[in-house]
Amino acid sequence: MTVFLGFEILFLIAALTTSRPGKLDTAISSAALGVGAFALLWAFYFFSFTTIGSRPVLILSYLFLVDAVLLGLVIAKKYFACLIAIVGIAAFIFLGLWTNDYLTQRNLYIALGAYFVFALLHSSLPIVMQRLGNATPSWSAHLFPAATLLLVLLPIFKLATASFLVWPLVLCVDVIALLAAAMTGMLAAVAIVLVLTLVALGAWMLQIPPVLTGFGSSLFLLAGFSIFFVAAAAWVSRQLLQTEKMGEPGNIFGEFAAPANFAVQLSTLAATLPFLLLVMATLRLPLANPSPVFGLALLLVVLLLGLTKIFSLDLLACVALGSTILLEHAWHFAHFKKEDAGIPILWYLGFTAVFTVFPFIFHRQFARKSTVWASAALAAPFHFYLVYDVVRATHPNSGMLGLVPAAFAVPSLLGLAALLRLTPKDSPARNAQLALFGGAALFFITLIFPIQFDRQWITLGWALEGAALCWLFHRVPHPGLRIAGIALLLVSFARLVCNPAVLAYHPRAATPIFNWYLYTYGIVSICSFVAARLLAPPRNLLLNRNAPPLLKSLGTILAFVLLNIEIADYFTKPGAYELTFHFSGNFARDMSYSIAWALFALLLLIVGIRKRNKAARYASLALLGFVLLKLFFHDLSQLQQLYRIAALIVVAIIAILASFLYQRFLGQTEKPGTQ
């Protein structure tokens, strides 16, 4: 080792003393570089000997001296500047191999010190050279902090109990990376270091035993690094936005290279990853009491809301809400027990209050914005199921579960009243704010009725909320209300019509006709018709499409499905859990279907004539034609002669009445205004 170092130092001195560039200078410099590269290769060779590799001071000191001499040559000769990254990569590969083979609990501190020295040397050198005017790739300054964090992962996975001193090293490396990013302008490197740091924290938390030994220190570390990175990311994003002087806010899903988008994406990443680690710890560990995890989450929420206020990064409030909801649901579904319901429900209500009240405290600053108000308005709806599930688990037979949505509606109504009084009428965000809190209030109000019935209450809540949002669209003409209302009605329709299993979710009611089928399908159908009427012109266009015909079609189909369900329920054997649909083998049932379909077709024809709606008339004629085909080719073949005559008479009367109505009111040429 000494021989190689001696030759390399001699050649380096010769290269430095050769002042005039020329062949001699190039030859001496190349020889010095060759000797240095050969000495570096010999380090890998020495590493294979256990007697040398197990002596970290010797082998790592040799590596450092070789590395330092090579870097000195690179600094001295500008035409070797491109090799700075190659030398560093070789050094870090050596460190990784040595760590994997020789790292023990005894030499951990030496290894951590070596990591820091090499990280500081190779991260700062490109910046120094750049400041001195030497051309060097700026990306090399960001390569080595990330490589150091990868090295830190090896002790965490390799050693059963890695020292707590790992984390001061990680913090120092993070600071180096942040300074390098600020000085070179390559802020994307902060995101890479952030991810690797939290990966290291996640690896540390995975080693926590089920008895939760060391869980408190892990939460302390996570809190410290989370605060550091969230604050650093917010500051970097703020500086970036001010430097670029961008007027429009960035998009979280936009192009990564755009400064405005990156400013938002970096802050979002820094805010989301700590919550993901908390979710991981929650799912893995037996946390009967959520207070430690929720307490840290509350600290992060307060930090994010504070940064929202200070730096006007409005999206952070929504990120904080979404992350908190994810964490709460993860704990609730994994560890909630009704015997210990007091603490969780206090946390759920506490988080709801924090998000709801926040923009009202700083109303003057957020009066002309809408993103922050979205997090405030949606906090209660997103927390509702958690609170409702706790109340339902602890008081299953109270019969007053409808009071839960009624209680949740009060803060939303108070918020709506406050916004009507505080927000200026000329504010561009006024309609959005009123729509958000009005929609939240209607959501809870419309949940009171279906929750008390306790049959398909989610579907009924969606349908009632959809119709209520269409009504609110009359008062607050925000297009989002119309879109949300129609979407909820479509989801309710799909759940009842496209999901046959919905009929088996609850047992059949003891009473025919007047049962949960009637109010479930009937209410959703009525909501569709009401929404169609509320969205009459000029409010009828949704994405340049006429919405009322779609809603009327949904209501009509639901009514027809309800008609068939009630017939099937009436003729299903008593005591059966599920409905049975049969269209043959029973005279009364078969004729009930045929006559009911014919009457439905007649009613549809009457509506089509009255409203001058071609689609309704054509649908009625098609259904009536199908009933006649069913009657002649199916029903009459299985009926006795007397019943055949009765069936023919009933259907004939309906068909004659339909024909009379059609000829009486539509026999002449239709008016130009027919649909």
Side-chain angles (χ1 to χ4, degrees), residues 605-606 608-614 617-618 621 658-671 674:
L605 178 62
I606 294 173
I609 292 174
R610 180 178 177 81
K611 299 296 183 180
R612 309 195 69 83
N613 190 311
K614 286 184 178 181
R617 297 198 301 271
Y618 292 158
L621 294 177
S659 175
F660 170 77
L661 292 174
Y662 207 94
Q663 292 295 328
R664 173 68 176 81
F665 295 100
L666 293 170
Q668 301 177 354
T669 304
E670 294 181 350
K671 297 181 180 180
T674 51

Side-chain angles (χ1 to χ4, degrees), residues 184-219:
T184 59
M186 294 186 65
L187 299 178
V190 178
I192 299 174
V193 174
L194 164 66
V195 172
L196 290 175
T197 300
L198 294 178
V199 167
L201 281 168
W204 176 279
M205 297 179 73
L206 283 174
Q207 294 183 339
I208 300 174
V211 294
L212 301 182
T213 303
F215 183 60
S217 60
S218 298
L219 288 181

Side-chain angles (χ1 to χ4, degrees), residues 273-487:
L273 288 180
F275 281 97
L276 294 180
L277 287 181
L278 288 177
V279 170
M280 180 196 72
T282 299
L283 296 176
R284 180 179 177 272
L285 301 174
L287 297 173
N289 186 351
S291 295
V293 173
F294 286 176
L296 177 55
L298 179 61
L299 175 64
L300 294 175
V301 166
V302 172
L303 174 63
L304 293 174
L305 295 181
L307 293 175
T308 302
K309 165 68 172 63
I310 296 171
F311 295 118
S312 297
L313 294 172
D314 300 345
L315 188 63
L316 287 182
C318 293
V319 172
L321 175 61
S323 302
T324 304
I325 292 295
L326 178 63
L327 176 62
E328 290 174 303
H329 280 78
W331 181 88
H332 186 85
F333 290 118
H335 305 294
F336 171 72
K337 295 179 181 179
K338 63 180 182 180
E339 294 81 9
D340 303 317
I343 294 177
I345 197 170
L346 289 177
W347 277 109
Y348 300 154
L349 295 175
F351 279 117
T352 304
V354 169
F355 284 104
T356 304
V357 172
F358 168 69
F360 288 98
I361 298 176
F362 307 102
H363 180 271
R364 184 171 299 177
Q365 177 178 344
F366 300 122
R368 297 183 176 274
K369 298 182 178 181
S370 57
T371 305
V372 178
W373 296 101
S375 64
L378 295 176
F382 284 167
H383 282 91
F384 169 75
Y385 179 78
L386 296 173
V387 177
Y388 171 77
D389 194 54
V390 173
V391 176
R392 182 176 58 178
T394 53
H395 302 82
N397 301 317
S398 64
M400 301 297 290
L401 291 177
L403 292 177
V404 179
F408 266 83
V410 174
S412 299
L413 291 173
L414 292 177
L416 181 63
L419 288 173
L420 286 171
R421 183 174 60 88
L422 296 175
T423 304
K425 293 185 178 181
D426 61 342
S427 173
R430 178 183 171 86
N431 283 342
Q433 296 172 9
L434 297 178
L436 287 167
F437 276 86
L442 289 176
F443 171 75
F444 294 121
I445 293 172
T446 53
L447 276 181
I448 298 173
F449 175 75
I451 283 181
Q452 282 298 117
F453 278 106
D454 198 28
R455 289 291 190 275
Q456 296 300 320
W457 65 271
I458 294 179
T459 306
L460 289 176
W462 289 342
L464 292 170
E465 173 72 1
L469 289 178
C470 293
W471 170 83
L472 184 60
F473 181 67
H474 274 251
R475 276 68 184 171
V476 183
H478 190 281
L481 293 173
R482 180 172 52 192
I483 295 174
I486 295 177

